[in-house]
Amino acid sequence: MAMRNWFLPHKDTHKKAHLLNLEAMLIYVLLFIGLQVGFSIFSYLKPGVLGIAGNIDTKKVIELTNAERVKKGLGTVVENEALNKAAYLKGQNMFQENYWAHFAPSGKSPWDFIQGAGYRFTYAGENLAKNFYNSDDVVVAWMNSTSHRDNLLNEHYKDIGVAVVTGILNGQETTLVVQEFGTTEFLANKPAVSVSGKQVNVPTEALNNASSVVSTLVQGSETKISPPVLDPYLFTKYAGVSVISFLAGLLVIDLIVLKKRGVLRLGSHHIAHMSILGIAAATILASSPGAIL
């Protein structure tokens, strides 16, 4: 098999270059799947080497949150130190117990951290985010989610607390954003917390034991870790764009060569290749490592 057939259409049959056939496309997909699996395995073997380090500012998150509230004619929320502490403690606990959820495996709930930080609320709420690169993208993601948007724009809230905490989650360095809302005004018969778009009444026994469940978490105990050596998301994104650009170049060369040979006929297979490459490129460019909860 001539090496030129890997990159140029066959001289006699005019078939596409081997790197452009469907079998090659399948191999590319399998290689990227293997890359993701490899990253996951490596994360557990070498925790902290891989990760996504965001540059998120708590003040900016609060500013953007209030900007969205003002757009809807709502009152702004005021930064509250107790809620800041609750957000920080919640973020630290997610790293300590290695989970990504509103409720910890050990049973700790959002209201445990809020009340444990000394904030006596009648209504509260929590939004979570991870692996975003900047403050704007975090708030945009919350606003694009119905349940998170309703929480962020809840008219009952008067106070807000935000924490950005970095640590190792599932073997990878992760940046967590915890947003806590609350009000101390009397609004209901029982204190309630908005979790995942649902209002949850706080059990009576939880009100009496709030401080004990977070007593082992001391603010300021965050462990400093080194920046990740490799961002798996950006590596995969750049690799994907590079491969797609290379294949698009081969496809253009294929068309030019066939035109010079006088055998160029645009068919469904050309359109299929262009469509596949276009969809793949758009998907990679539009993707984000960020997630909300």
Side-chain angles (χ1 to χ4, degrees):
M1 183 185 297
M3 180 63 68
R4 67 192 307 275
N5 291 338
W6 287 96
F7 304 94
L8 299 174
H10 196 279
K11 184 177 180 180
D12 299 319
T13 64
H14 308 300
K15 288 184 178 180
K16 287 191 175 300
H18 297 311
L19 292 177
L20 286 175
N21 61 37
L22 292 179
E23 290 81 2
M25 295 291 180
L26 178 60
I27 291 175
Y28 302 144
V29 172
L30 293 177
L31 285 176
F32 274 96
I33 293 175
L35 183 64
Q36 297 303 314
V37 173
F39 280 145
S40 298
I41 295 174
F42 189 79
S43 294
Y44 284 101
L45 296 177
K46 298 288 185 179
V49 175
L50 303 180
I52 295 170
N55 182 24
I56 302 171
D57 180 68
T58 58
K59 303 293 183 184
K60 183 67 173 179
V61 171
I62 295 174
E63 176 187 329
L64 293 170
T65 296
N66 276 326
E68 295 295 342
R69 291 176 65 86
V70 170
K71 288 179 186 178
K72 299 299 181 180
L74 300 172
T76 57
V77 285
V78 179
E79 185 175 7
N80 181 279
E81 284 305 314
L83 287 180
N84 280 341
K85 180 179 180 180
Y88 174 86
L89 293 175
K90 176 59 180 285
Q92 282 294 91
N93 183 246
M94 281 191 280
F95 288 126
Q96 291 175 357
E97 296 191 37
N98 195 45
Y99 70 98
W100 164 243
H102 288 287
F103 294 87
S106 62
K108 296 183 181 69
S109 65
W111 54 81
D112 288 328
F113 298 98
I114 296 173
Q115 293 184 127
Y119 188 87
R120 296 295 178 261
F121 65 91
T122 54
Y123 206 82
E126 178 178 87
N127 282 337
L128 303 176
K130 70 173 181 177
N131 284 341
F132 284 91
Y133 291 106
N134 58 70
S135 308
D136 296 80
D137 288 346
V138 173
V139 177
V140 167
W142 282 333
M143 289 298 294
N144 286 337
S145 163
T146 301
S147 60
H148 293 83
R149 180 175 62 249
D150 290 345
N151 203 20
L152 191 145
L153 299 178
N154 193 310
E155 62 181 0
H156 295 320
Y157 299 146
K158 305 297 180 184
D159 303 315
I160 185 174
V162 177
V164 178
V165 191
T166 300
I168 305 300
L169 188 67
N170 294 324
Q172 292 193 18
E173 180 174 333
T174 303
T175 299
L176 298 177
V177 183
V178 183
Q179 184 182 54
E180 305 285 8
F181 293 102
T183 183
T184 56
E185 294 180 2
F186 182 78
L187 297 172
N189 293 328
K190 278 188 174 183
V193 176
S194 180
V195 181
S196 298
K198 297 180 181 179
Q199 182 174 316
V200 181
N201 288 327
V202 180
T204 303
E205 59 272 17
L207 299 175
N208 302 322
N209 302 311
S211 59
S212 62
V213 293
V214 293
S215 59
T216 58
L217 293 170
V218 180
Q219 190 165 14
S221 63
E222 182 177 3
T223 302
K224 300 297 180 181
I225 59 177
S226 301
V229 175
L230 177 67
D231 185 324
Y233 166 73
L234 289 181
F235 180 88
T236 303
K237 185 172 185 175
Y238 291 148
V241 170
S242 298
V243 171
I244 291 173
S245 298
F246 174 71
L247 295 178
L250 286 182
L251 189 58
V252 171
I253 293 174
D254 181 272
L255 295 173
I256 293 174
V257 171
L258 292 180
K259 183 178 181 181
K260 286 184 177 181
R261 293 177 183 173
V263 293
L264 175 60
R265 292 179 182 177
L266 285 175
S268 59
H269 58 286
H270 286 98
I271 297 175
H273 277 82
M274 293 177 183
S275 299
I276 291 173
L277 292 178
I279 293 172
T283 301
I284 290 175
L285 292 175
S287 64
S288 168
I292 58 176
L293 192 65

